[in-house]
Amino acid sequence: MSKLMLGNQAVARGLYEAGVTVVSSYPGTPSTEITEFASKYNADEMYCEWAPNEKVACEVAIGASIAGARSFCAMKHVGLNVAADPLFTASYTGVNGGFVLAVADDPGMHSSQNEQDSRHYAIGAKVPMLEPSDSAECKEYTKLAYEISEQFDTPVILRLTTRVSHSQSTVEECDRVEKALPEYKKDIAKYVMVPANAIKKHVVVEERTLKLTEYAENSGINTVEMNSDEIGVITSGICYQFAKEALGDKASYLKLGMVNPLPVKLIKEFAAKVKTLYVIEELDDVIETHCRKNGIEVKGKELFTLQGEYFQSKIKQVILNEADEFTVLDEAIPVRPPVLCAGCPHRGVFYILKKLGVMVSGDIGCYTLGSAAPLSAIDTTVCMGASVSGLHGFNKGRKGEFEGKSVAVIGDSTFIHSGVTGLINIAYNRSNSTVLILDNSITGMTGHQNNPANGMNIYGDPAAAVNLEALAKAVGINSVRVIDPNNLAETESVIKEELAKDEPSVIIARRPCALLKTVKHKAPFKINPDKCKNCKACMKIGCPALCWGENGVTIDATLCVGCGLCNQMCKFGAIEE
Amino acid sequence: MTNSIMIVGVGGQGTLLASRILGNVLGSAGYDVKVSEVHGMSQRGGSVVTYIKYGEKVYSPVIEKGQADIIVSFEQLEAARWLSSLKKGGTVITNSQKISPMPVITGAAQYPEGLLEKIADKGVNLIAVDALSAANEAGSAKAVNVVLMGVLSKVLKGFDEAAWKKAVEECVPKKVIEINEKAFELGTKLV
């Protein structure tokens, strides 16, 4: 049956059809829906879980593979930084059951802190990487990846990009093929990577790369489409679709379905058939460098950029010098950046932190939006967990000058991911640092996934929940407080008290995400125009439900969820339930 | 020949669901369809856009400046923001609702006046409707998205109403099917 599917959904379908039995991932845009869709299949056939972080997820998948299962883990590009450690050595051990790791890059940074190109990981770890260009290929390549993994005894990376992951196109569904679980045999030379064994395995890895290069030359995964002998294009993934739309039959194409290892003979033969050869690849010049290294003359990054997404018009303009006509308004259109939702429990914390004027070491999640105006509360955002360890470093770097004037903010899921190790460091190497765990009982920004701290597993079934208070105490933090971030007075006084203490402390700001279906909201608040002095004090919290217009402040009843934060800001009692 | 439709609005207005409904209609008519969505960070009350392309064979899932046949906007300012995506002679369907972005809320910028007139002055086929009132009449302000699909069903020729209704039924949550059926119906009467 043919169905319209997201690329991520098609990967999940591919996992199911390939007979995969173990899936472990950490959410991260744009990869999240792969595991969400996978969890909709029968758990007895294909078990799924949210792991605490990508390293754990990758190691779970490796363990399952060694056990003989076809296994899988998915992550966003920066997640692969976290999972790189097990991946690089799994390349040496190889697999028992097929092991595929999907990584979703984010050219254009729709939802990411950097624009790194995951192809470097495939090169570095010396593992094959496949790159689909639409949903049908997402499914097909996922299944193929398991064949390659088992045939060549290697992990395989499936590389996606935002436009492939988050575009829907048609996919033909097939039946699942169950794989009999192969025997588990203890094999120390294969699975115990001590130097004596790893030295021998490295030789095997290099031989494997040669065999995989042969596969890239001959297997048919890389395809040539001859239309013109004037213009040739070497491309892969979504860029193939952009190039086809831009150039159609005016160019010939070498579409690379496998982006590591790259073929040499195939590229040379293609290059010989066309007058001008372009490499069209988003982000880094991986294919271009490979061509140059092999003495093939190409045009690439001198015409295209290392930044962002390409799209068809850029390619059309660069290669054909053509452009589409369009209309613009002369009017200046105000920007509409993403904001903390109305009723967001993070808002109160950031308002108080701004009011206190403290340095805020930030982290990755919805609460990164606390850096936006008018709250503008956050000083730094680097990566998952960096708020906690970074604060310790900041306080050490300022020789204690900022102790009592600085905090870290980190969400519940991010704290579990990699904040807890930083907290152990604060306790162990003693800095007078205050860490706020913004516990909204969900992994929010990626679209509401359960996590080890909220008491539910991926299927919504009850699960063990990390007790954050007990955990903080267990690692050596004596002062642990819990506050309701929607209570501004309490939030302010507790933060002040903890900052004043001469010891490290943890404050857990606990209130569930306002978008959770289980959260009951109050009726919207109203402005009483007789009492309102238009002092704009309520506007300081940056709530999207509050609007300033000709008639002063109004509350948008379709957005307001009655959290009462604005009410606490008003000295005149003008905001009423 | 590829046809291109953009659905634009404010994160949280249900543009994704609208694009699923449209994708369902186009797919069931046998076209090759691509729908490109935005998830994650950009959803949180920010400007959001979904691209829907269909034809015999669709390559790029993205619509750029001067390439959209129809833009369906859930909010005035967003219609103005994305106007440059419209092809010459294209149609803009917009909800007349105004939602202030944060720079307007904080007073750092003004919400431009007379946007609908200014768009019409550019020689664009403009269809402005009060989808919010229709959605409220149907029973929920959240049904703005389905009201606008009702409007689109009258503008986009060549698809029968039964296919649209089936798509609405298949795409909206079961608990709110009745509200959405009514919202779709009211949308069809706005043009």
Side-chain angles (χ1 to χ4, degrees):
Chain A
M1 198 174 88
S2 159
K3 261 191 183 169
L4 206 54
M5 283 189 196
L6 278 177
N8 283 348
Q9 188 178 0
V11 172
R13 181 71 206 179
L15 298 175
Y16 177 76
E17 291 178 9
V20 169
T21 56
V22 176
V23 174
S24 183
S25 302
Y26 184 80
T29 313
S31 71
T32 311
E33 300 81 10
I34 301 173
T35 306
E36 287 187 320
F37 277 108
S39 73
K40 293 188 190 336
Y41 293 98
N42 185 345
D44 293 335
E45 291 182 303
M46 184 159 74
Y47 164 79
C48 297
E49 65 178 30
W50 290 127
N53 65 34
E54 296 85 355
K55 178 177 185 288
V56 173
C58 183
E59 289 158 351
V60 168
I62 290 168
S65 162
I66 291 171
R70 282 194 161 183
S71 66
F72 176 80
C73 60
M75 59 204 64
K76 67 182 294 167
H77 60 339
V78 287
L80 188 48
N81 300 335
V82 181
D85 195 5
L87 173 69
F88 273 62
T89 302
S91 170
Y92 279 33
T93 65
V95 304
N96 185 14
F99 163 42
V100 176
L101 181 153
V103 59
D105 285 3
D106 191 16
M109 290 182 276
H110 297 270
S111 205
S112 302
Q113 67 269 40
N114 76 28
E115 210 169 14
Q116 67 187 54
D117 187 330
S118 293
R119 292 178 296 173
H120 297 297
Y121 274 112
I123 296 167
K126 300 172 188 284
V127 295
M129 177 181 256
L130 307 185
E131 184 175 19
S133 74
D134 62 14
S135 298
E137 285 183 358
C138 279
K139 196 198 85 165
E140 185 193 328
Y141 285 14
T142 300
K143 291 167 79 173
L144 180 63
Y146 283 95
E147 302 296 328
I148 295 171
S149 174
E150 286 163 5
Q151 183 186 339
F152 293 92
D153 192 15
T154 178
V156 176
I157 303 179
L158 185 74
R159 185 207 188 206
L160 306 162
T161 54
T162 302
R163 293 290 170 189
V164 173
S165 284
H166 287 168
S167 291
Q168 300 182 54
S169 56
T170 45
V171 176
E172 291 292 330
E173 290 189 337
C174 307
D175 291 334
R176 176 175 168 95
V177 178
E178 290 289 348
K179 288 280 292 183
L181 206 59
E183 188 190 354
Y184 169 69
K185 277 189 297 215
K186 185 165 179 159
D187 187 345
I188 291 172
K190 178 168 165 61
Y191 295 121
V192 181
M193 284 303 99
V194 291
N197 294 337
I199 286 166
K200 289 178 197 146
K201 287 299 280 187
H202 188 186
V203 176
V204 175
V205 166
E206 299 304 337
E207 288 167 359
R208 183 179 74 198
T209 298
L210 295 177
K211 288 178 196 157
L212 282 161
T213 306
E214 267 308 296
Y215 182 89
E217 303 280 9
N218 304 316
S219 69
I221 181 142
N222 301 318
T223 51
V224 173
E225 182 186 326
M226 291 305 299
N227 301 307
S228 146
D229 46 17
E230 288 292 316
I231 302 171
V233 170
I234 306 177
T235 186
S236 69
I238 195 66
C239 287
Y240 167 75
Q241 304 289 352
F242 294 148
K244 274 291 280 189
E245 175 120 353
L247 309 172
D249 291 346
K250 291 176 190 155
S252 296
Y253 303 88
L254 170 54
K255 177 183 177 295
L256 300 168
M258 187 186 243
V259 290
N260 189 63
L262 289 166
V264 177
K265 216 170 81 216
L266 191 63
I267 295 177
K268 281 188 174 166
E269 283 168 8
F270 181 68
K273 288 182 197 160
V274 292
K275 206 164 135 193
T276 313
L277 184 56
Y278 297 90
V279 173
I280 301 180
E281 56 184 331
E282 286 170 344
L283 303 180
D284 295 341
D285 53 356
V286 173
I287 301 170
E288 182 181 340
T289 302
H290 170 80
C291 289
R292 294 239 163 87
K293 195 171 96 180
N294 286 288
I296 302 157
E297 198 187 319
V298 293
K299 292 186 189 293
K301 294 296 175 189
E302 72 269 36
L303 300 173
F304 294 97
T305 166
L306 291 160
Q307 287 117 43
E309 299 178 277
Y310 278 8
F311 306 148
Q312 56 272 20
S313 65
K314 183 173 200 71
I315 296 168
K316 205 151 73 170
Q317 187 254 319
V318 167
I319 297 180
L320 302 177
N321 198 22
E322 291 173 10
D324 294 305
E325 278 183 67
F326 58 88
T327 311
V328 274
L329 285 188
D330 314 317
E331 197 79 30
I333 307 293
V335 294
R336 190 188 297 276
V339 292
L340 293 171
C341 306
C344 176
H346 302 324
R347 179 169 285 108
V349 170
F350 286 121
Y351 170 70
I352 297 299
L353 293 176
K354 186 187 184 187
K355 187 177 169 189
L356 297 177
V358 294
M359 182 271 180
V360 179
S361 181
D363 223 298
I364 306 284
C366 285
Y367 47 90
T368 314
L369 293 170
S371 63
L375 292 165
S376 312
I378 291 177
D379 287 55
T380 63
T381 298
V382 179
C383 67
M384 297 282 284
S387 61
V388 182
S389 25
L391 175 67
H392 174 78
F394 189 88
N395 282 334
K396 291 287 182 195
R398 302 293 306 184
K399 298 192 184 302
E401 176 201 347
F402 268 68
E403 289 184 353
K405 289 185 282 188
S406 59
V407 299
V409 290
I410 184 165
D412 46 335
S413 185
T414 310
F415 179 73
I416 298 291
H417 179 284
S418 49
V420 62
T421 40
L423 189 65
I424 291 169
N425 194 44
I426 285 174
Y428 174 57
N429 289 312
R430 183 83 187 200
S431 62
N432 182 9
S433 297
T434 299
V435 174
L436 280 116
I437 303 175
L438 310 181
D439 179 9
N440 65 350
S441 308
I442 202 77
T443 309
M445 181 60 93
T446 44
H448 283 179
Q449 290 76 35
N450 291 319
N451 68 49
N454 83 345
M456 276 183 283
N457 66 17
I458 196 170
Y459 299 104
D461 295 329
V466 173
N467 181 326
L468 295 172
E469 295 92 311
L471 178 63
K473 290 206 164 155
V475 304
I477 306 292
N478 295 314
S479 188
V480 180
R481 308 278 294 272
V482 179
I483 56 169
D484 175 1
N486 273 14
N487 182 334
L488 289 178
E490 178 193 42
T491 300
E492 181 168 355
S493 64
V494 170
I495 293 175
K496 277 183 178 166
E497 283 163 28
E498 293 309 307
L499 283 172
K501 283 182 185 165
D502 192 20
E503 64 175 329
S505 55
V506 165
I507 302 169
I508 300 166
R510 181 167 286 147
R511 180 171 271 269
C513 171
L515 298 183
L516 281 172
K517 290 201 173 80
T518 47
V519 171
K520 295 271 174 282
H521 293 302
K522 285 193 193 166
F525 277 67
K526 285 192 200 93
I527 306 274
N528 182 338
D530 297 334
K531 293 184 184 170
C532 179
K533 311 279 185 211
N534 284 331
C535 71
K536 292 192 181 179
C538 56
M539 304 298 288
K540 289 182 189 162
I541 57 173
C543 176
L546 287 165
C547 201
W548 180 256
E550 283 164 19
N551 308 318
V553 184
T554 50
I555 294 177
D556 183 337
T558 62
L559 290 175
C560 177
V561 294
C563 76
L565 219 57
C566 56
N567 179 39
Q568 296 170 54
M569 297 294 294
C570 184
K571 287 182 188 148
F572 307 104
I575 302 179
E576 299 171 348
E577 284 190 51
Chain B
M1 180 65 191
T2 305
N3 298 281
S4 302
I5 302 173
M6 280 169 73
I7 298 180
V8 303
V10 179
Q13 278 193 301
T15 50
L16 277 188
L17 181 77
S19 69
R20 298 250 155 99
I21 293 170
L22 178 56
N24 185 310
V25 170
L26 300 170
S28 60
Y31 286 108
D32 187 30
V33 182
K34 280 191 177 167
V35 181
S36 183
E37 309 175 348
V38 176
H39 300 216
M41 171 71 98
S42 6
Q43 270 186 297
R44 299 277 175 266
S47 171
V48 291
V49 55
T50 304
Y51 308 115
I52 299 107
K53 295 172 79 166
Y54 64 101
E56 200 180 317
K57 175 75 189 158
V58 182
Y59 292 103
S60 166
V62 175
I63 301 169
E64 298 175 83
K65 284 183 178 171
Q67 296 174 356
D69 297 285
I70 300 174
I71 296 175
V72 183
S73 176
F74 285 35
E75 198 271 348
Q76 279 194 36
L77 192 62
E78 295 311 309
R81 187 187 315 284
W82 294 98
L83 185 66
S84 60
S85 299
L86 198 68
K87 207 180 265 181
K88 233 179 166 180
T91 301
V92 174
I93 298 169
T94 186
N95 181 9
S96 56
Q97 191 182 349
K98 291 182 182 180
I99 301 173
S100 295
M102 196 48 73
V104 171
I105 289 176
T106 60
Q110 295 283 318
Y111 195 106
E113 292 297 320
L115 277 177
L116 296 180
E117 293 76 11
K118 284 169 187 164
I119 293 172
D121 285 348
K122 289 284 173 186
V124 167
N125 306 317
L126 178 71
I127 301 168
V129 296
D130 182 357
L132 182 59
S133 296
N136 280 324
E137 192 187 331
S140 168
K142 286 183 181 165
V144 159
N145 52 1
V146 178
V147 171
L148 288 165
M149 288 302 99
V151 178
L152 179 64
S153 76
K154 290 288 164 190
V155 175
L156 198 62
K157 306 291 178 206
F159 304 93
D160 57 282
E161 197 158 315
W164 278 99
K165 288 187 168 164
K166 186 169 153 279
V168 170
E169 200 179 307
E170 282 177 14
C171 295
V172 304
K174 286 200 171 59
K175 276 194 268 177
V176 287
I177 280 185
E178 269 181 44
I179 290 173
N180 283 294
E181 281 173 344
K182 194 166 174 207
F184 183 83
E185 194 69 38
L186 289 169
T188 61
K189 288 175 185 152
L190 290 175
V191 267

